[in-house]
Amino acid sequence: MNALDQGQLAQLRAALEAQLAALSRTDEPQTVGGARDLPVSEVETSPADKATVRLLNDLALEAAGHHAARMQVLRQALAKFEDGSYGLCEECGADIGFSRLQARPEARLCIACQTRYEKQR
């Protein structure tokens, strides 16, 4: 696998599972018929009020998208435990340090590759 011992792996897996459980408990707009229920209903009001309603709904849908994306990242990190690739950099294959994984248990890249990636963006 990698340089992480069983205790460290257990600690990191528990952290990922706890984050996923916490996100699972938070409220998120549910899908109904392929569309999301909007948190604020549009009513017959002034154009300014309609704009506010649309903005609130857009923000809520964006937050729901971030929520879903975060849950997907956590699920992908947990899946790496099954195939033995957890803790290995997806770019260069090197070990991701335990201290980095403690800070970001879902980290996919080692510090060097992450730094390179961020400079390219």
Side-chain angles (χ1 to χ4, degrees):
M1 187 179 254
N2 55 37
L4 299 172
D5 65 37
Q6 292 302 316
Q8 292 170 327
L9 287 170
Q11 177 185 353
L12 294 167
R13 185 178 203 145
L16 286 166
E17 289 171 343
Q19 288 180 29
L20 186 60
L23 282 174
S24 296
R25 288 189 300 268
T26 60
D27 290 334
E28 168 188 21
Q30 300 297 313
T31 56
V32 175
R36 298 217 178 242
D37 288 336
L38 299 176
V40 181
S41 299
E42 230 177 286
V43 293
E44 294 294 325
T45 58
S46 73
D49 288 340
K50 287 182 183 181
T52 300
V53 167
R54 286 190 192 112
L55 175 64
L56 290 172
N57 286 334
D58 288 346
L59 290 173
L61 291 175
E62 185 176 345
H66 286 292
H67 183 271
R70 177 78 177 137
M71 288 184 72
Q72 181 63 27
V73 165
L74 294 172
R75 286 186 189 109
Q76 287 172 343
L78 285 167
K80 289 182 173 195
F81 281 94
E82 303 305 319
D83 66 17
S85 65
Y86 182 79
L88 299 176
C89 177
E90 291 181 3
E91 187 70 27
C92 69
D95 291 335
I96 300 174
F98 180 63
S99 58
R100 173 159 170 71
L101 290 170
Q102 279 183 303
R104 304 238 4 166
E106 72 281 3
R108 300 177 14 231
L109 303 173
C110 66
I111 291 289
C113 291
Q114 183 69 40
T115 301
R116 194 175 322 112
Y117 172 76
E118 289 175 4
K119 284 182 181 178
Q120 291 173 351
R121 289 179 91 205

